[in-house]
Amino acid sequence: MDHVFFPAFSRVAISGGTHGNELSGVHIVREMQKHNVNQMGSLSVCPILSNPRSIEVCRRYIDTDLNRCFTDALLSTPLTDSSSCELRRAHELNALLGPKGSDRAMDLVCDLHNTTSNMGLCFIIDFLDWILLHMVKYVQIKMPTAPIRVINTNVASKSLSYSVDSVAKHGFAIEVGPQPHGVLRADIYNMMKEAVDHTLDWLNKFNAGTTFEGDKVEVFVWEKSVDYPRDPETSQLTAVIHPKLQDNDFKLLQHGNPIFKTFTGETVNYEGEDLYPFFINECAYYEKRIAFHLAKKETIAFPPISVKKE
Amino acid sequence: MDHVFFPAFSRVAISGGTHGNELSGVHIVREMQKHNVNQMGSLSVCPILSNPRSIEVCRRYIDTDLNRCFTDALLSTPLTDSSSCELRRAHELNALLGPKGSDRAMDLVCDLHNTTSNMGLCFIIDFLDWILLHMVKYVQIKMPTAPIRVINTNVASKSLSYSVDSVAKHGFAIEVGPQPHGVLRADIYNMMKEAVDHTLDWLNKFNAGTTFEGDKVEVFVWEKSVDYPRDPETSQLTAVIHPKLQDNDFKLLQHGNPIFKTFTGETVNYEGEDLYPFFINECAYYEKRIAFHLAKKETIAFPPISVKKE
């Protein structure tokens, strides 16, 4: 593949607490703020708490999920007295870190998340962005014992991207688990912190003119979501994730494998093409009616890159 | 020890959702209600959801922790317009399951809880009640591979007991973890369900005239609590549970062992007498300023018992 040149990175934001009860990112950002981190090598760095009101009460959100508020449609919806707390904050964040799609937007936003699922550390990207794939590869090499994977949400267009990081020129989330929401574990905190540090190192190396050779990386591309079995009248769960599926994120799920165990003891098996499950039994997805997502695994090649000289 | 006779058990309540985001108990009780469980052998059984409003929003509580509302003082506080949602419910539950300390009270209340701590299955008791110790022993024998322990909260008197189960003649909590609040895991659900079933079996055997021989059991007796290191001005955490302590509930903590890791990388070591930590890094205890509890381990002998013939 042909060598590709990208502009240098100048302004980078590290955001935590987009979901107020996902504590690794909250505390990583707070520590950066406390130590007045605003310049790292060639980079201007902005550590920011995305949803301070939800952090204060240690809940995912106050009115609605902030990390679904950044579509072009929602960002262009005029605010009224009845607008949710999170839509207001999305407009503020878009002004601070964006505006989305504009030249003034942050060069990169890295948004920090936790999950109750046994997912290790994931880079979640909306598009196959060479910069981000190079960055992941670098972090994978620097953290050889950590389970580091890439998820592509497979969103149809930038305008439909709904996450806070979509306001930047290059945006991604770092998702680390398993960790209960509202809890801070040292192992999960350290894994996330290390990945953030390596990401910033990569950006500085890139800015300094390092050439990064082409390579390839495995990417899990979202295909579909599966809900829990529910009582049709009350919508209450009638089954839980089967013990053989629980904690087995990213292990191939094959036709006939058990996925749910009902409260009355029956096993529900998977029917469909072989795919890779992730976000299995994520706390926040019960209300979204998602028991787990399913992905295809693809190997994506990416070209050599380096910084475009001014 | 001399043989002791106790009256037969007639009315038993199984309560779940005292904390609305501890889902094993919520679903065990819902299943019992759905299948109209109200009689099991010689027992009248009342499955009850303690805090329906907090269950609905999947939070620990609405205004205040319901499971701290059952002291004599709070139960005799007149309700006013400004009374918390939970104090109102405590008065209702006291009328339904108590009144606490009266002859009309339930013979037994078993209250179902989850923790984010790696505690396995615990019976939490306020007093060394021979009935409850026999019951634990029975469940331990029936579930030989499960980590089943007894915690004595060491409350000074029945009138100061603050938990919902204290309204009954014999009350205890079953606490099972690790499970994130707001999540339902099959392994944790099954462990709790099995313990509840064995408890009810034991009661039926007791009522039927079985003599249970004297024995002894290990009991962890609460000694004190330890808070996280905090910033004196903001009260925000400055450290997390040390990786060597995390998940090591009930393993002896000795003078000099690491307990916290600060965000700046220093290790904080334990100073004090050797004790057993539990509820390490429980989500709901951050706001209570408890990083973990410490207990003494005692071996408690209990006498042979059987039912008092009418």
Side-chain angles (χ1 to χ4, degrees):
Chain A
M1 294 170 89
D2 286 345
H3 195 111
V4 183
F5 296 91
F6 287 93
F9 285 77
S10 165
R11 295 161 61 238
V12 170
I14 309 293
S15 54
T18 299
H19 297 133
N21 57 3
E22 299 180 10
L23 298 190
S24 306
V26 171
H27 285 276
I28 283 175
V29 167
R30 273 192 185 146
E31 283 303 298
M32 291 175 83
Q33 290 178 337
K34 205 171 173 179
H35 297 98
N36 298 312
V37 173
N38 49 42
Q39 189 75 31
M40 292 182 82
S42 57
L43 298 166
S44 150
V45 177
C46 168
I48 185 167
L49 294 173
S50 310
N51 196 343
R53 284 187 58 195
S54 79
I55 294 167
E56 203 174 322
V57 294
C58 199
R59 287 189 206 140
R60 185 174 176 87
Y61 55 76
I62 302 294
D63 296 322
T64 191
D65 190 336
L66 175 61
N67 213 31
R68 299 295 180 274
C69 287
F70 292 87
T71 59
D72 281 1
L74 284 171
L75 290 178
S76 60
T77 300
L79 295 176
T80 67
D81 286 351
S82 63
S83 297
S84 68
C85 158
E86 276 77 14
L87 187 61
R88 283 173 198 288
R89 184 60 178 157
H91 282 224
E92 281 175 21
L93 289 169
N94 189 43
L96 281 166
L97 307 176
K100 180 170 174 172
S102 77
D103 278 352
R104 288 197 292 119
M106 284 277 164
D107 294 317
L108 185 124
V109 169
C110 165
D111 192 38
L112 304 176
H113 289 265
N114 291 118
T115 173
T116 61
S117 305
N118 186 28
M119 281 168 57
L121 189 147
C122 297
F123 284 77
I124 303 183
I125 62 179
D126 286 344
F127 309 102
L128 294 177
D129 173 330
W130 301 149
I131 289 285
L132 301 180
L133 297 183
H134 268 284
M135 200 180 277
V136 171
K137 199 77 197 181
Y138 180 82
V139 179
Q140 284 178 332
I141 289 165
K142 289 289 177 182
M143 298 173 68
T145 62
I148 299 180
R149 299 182 183 90
V150 187
I151 295 166
N152 178 357
T153 57
N154 214 359
V155 168
S157 70
K158 179 92 172 171
S159 109
L160 293 174
S161 282
Y162 44 67
S163 58
V164 62
D165 54 86
S166 73
V167 303
K169 296 193 183 97
H170 303 268
F172 66 104
I174 292 181
E175 181 84 57
V176 195
Q179 178 174 271
H181 299 321
V183 165
L184 194 56
R185 286 181 63 100
D187 51 356
I188 301 293
Y189 179 90
N190 290 340
M191 205 191 297
M192 184 183 279
K193 180 70 169 62
E194 211 182 323
V196 170
D197 289 346
H198 289 309
T199 296
L200 294 170
D201 284 348
W202 186 89
L203 289 165
N204 271 312
K205 284 188 170 149
F206 177 82
N207 281 353
T210 307
T211 292
F212 293 94
E213 295 305 327
D215 202 339
K216 52 195 179 182
V217 67
E218 272 183 359
V219 176
F220 291 89
V221 185
W222 180 86
E223 271 286 307
K224 59 181 174 182
S225 306
V226 177
D227 189 16
Y228 297 90
R230 293 176 188 267
D231 182 299
E233 277 177 35
T234 63
S235 288
Q236 280 167 11
L237 304 194
T238 57
V240 286
I241 294 288
H242 195 281
K244 289 192 176 164
L245 179 60
Q246 178 71 48
D247 303 328
N248 285 313
D249 300 73
F250 299 112
K251 291 187 187 150
L252 186 66
L253 183 67
Q254 294 179 292
H255 188 90
N257 288 165
I259 49 175
F260 297 112
K261 185 96 173 177
T262 71
F263 291 124
T264 46
E266 293 95 45
T267 292
V268 178
N269 293 320
Y270 175 63
E271 295 176 7
E273 60 171 329
D274 297 359
L275 290 168
Y276 293 85
F278 64 106
F279 276 120
I280 298 170
N281 214 0
E282 155 58 36
C283 178
Y285 289 178
Y286 283 65
E287 67 176 21
K288 296 188 198 290
R289 299 186 167 243
I290 297 167
F292 54 89
H293 289 307
L294 288 167
K296 280 194 175 146
K297 185 161 76 173
E298 296 180 0
T299 299
I300 304 294
F302 49 84
I305 63 168
S306 57
V307 71
K308 189 188 287 176
K309 298 282 191 292
E310 294 299 308
Chain B
M1 296 170 88
D2 285 346
H3 195 112
V4 183
F5 297 91
F6 288 94
F9 285 76
S10 167
R11 295 161 61 237
V12 169
I14 308 293
S15 53
T18 298
H19 297 134
N21 57 2
E22 299 180 12
L23 297 191
S24 305
V26 170
H27 285 275
I28 284 174
V29 167
R30 272 193 185 146
E31 283 302 298
M32 292 174 83
Q33 290 178 336
K34 204 169 172 180
H35 298 97
N36 298 310
V37 173
N38 49 41
Q39 189 76 31
M40 291 182 81
S42 58
L43 299 167
S44 151
V45 177
C46 168
I48 185 166
L49 293 174
S50 309
N51 196 344
R53 283 187 57 195
S54 78
I55 294 167
E56 204 175 320
V57 293
C58 199
R59 287 188 207 144
R60 184 172 177 88
Y61 56 76
I62 302 293
D63 296 323
T64 190
D65 190 337
L66 175 62
N67 212 31
R68 300 295 180 274
C69 287
F70 293 87
T71 60
D72 280 2
L74 284 170
L75 290 178
S76 59
T77 300
L79 296 175
T80 67
D81 286 352
S82 63
S83 297
S84 67
C85 157
E86 276 77 16
L87 187 62
R88 285 173 196 288
R89 183 61 177 157
H91 282 224
E92 281 175 20
L93 289 169
N94 189 42
L96 281 167
L97 308 176
K100 180 170 173 171
S102 78
D103 278 352
R104 289 197 291 119
M106 284 277 163
D107 294 318
L108 186 125
V109 169
C110 166
D111 192 37
L112 305 176
H113 290 265
N114 291 116
T115 174
T116 60
S117 305
N118 186 27
M119 282 168 57
L121 189 146
C122 297
F123 284 77
I124 304 184
I125 62 179
D126 286 343
F127 309 101
L128 293 176
D129 173 329
W130 301 149
I131 289 285
L132 301 181
L133 297 183
H134 268 284
M135 200 179 275
V136 171
K137 199 78 198 181
Y138 180 82
V139 178
Q140 284 178 332
I141 289 164
K142 289 289 178 184
M143 297 172 67
T145 61
I148 298 180
R149 299 182 184 89
V150 187
I151 295 166
N152 178 357
T153 58
N154 215 359
V155 168
S157 71
K158 178 92 171 172
S159 110
L160 293 173
S161 282
Y162 45 67
S163 58
V164 61
D165 54 86
S166 73
V167 304
K169 296 192 183 98
H170 303 269
F172 66 104
I174 292 182
E175 182 83 55
V176 195
Q179 178 173 271
H181 300 321
V183 166
L184 195 56
R185 286 181 63 100
D187 51 356
I188 300 293
Y189 179 91
N190 291 340
M191 206 191 296
M192 184 183 279
K193 179 70 170 60
E194 211 183 322
V196 169
D197 289 346
H198 289 309
T199 296
L200 295 169
D201 285 349
W202 185 89
L203 289 164
N204 271 312
K205 285 188 170 151
F206 177 84
N207 280 354
T210 306
T211 291
F212 293 94
E213 295 304 329
D215 203 337
K216 52 194 180 183
V217 67
E218 271 183 0
V219 176
F220 292 88
V221 185
W222 179 87
E223 271 286 307
K224 59 181 175 182
S225 306
V226 177
D227 189 16
Y228 297 89
R230 292 176 190 268
D231 181 301
E233 277 178 35
T234 63
S235 289
Q236 280 167 9
L237 304 194
T238 56
V240 286
I241 295 287
H242 195 280
K244 288 191 174 162
L245 179 61
Q246 177 72 47
D247 303 328
N248 285 313
D249 300 74
F250 299 111
K251 292 188 187 150
L252 187 65
L253 183 67
Q254 294 178 291
H255 187 91
N257 289 164
I259 50 175
F260 297 112
K261 185 97 174 177
T262 71
F263 291 125
T264 45
E266 292 94 45
T267 292
V268 179
N269 293 320
Y270 175 63
E271 294 178 9
E273 60 172 330
D274 297 0
L275 290 168
Y276 294 84
F278 64 105
F279 276 121
I280 298 170
N281 214 359
E282 157 56 38
C283 177
Y285 289 177
Y286 282 64
E287 67 176 20
K288 295 187 198 292
R289 297 184 168 247
I290 297 167
F292 52 89
H293 288 307
L294 288 167
K296 279 194 175 145
K297 184 161 77 174
E298 295 180 0
T299 301
I300 305 294
F302 48 84
I305 63 169
S306 56
V307 72
K308 189 187 287 175
K309 298 282 191 294
E310 294 298 309

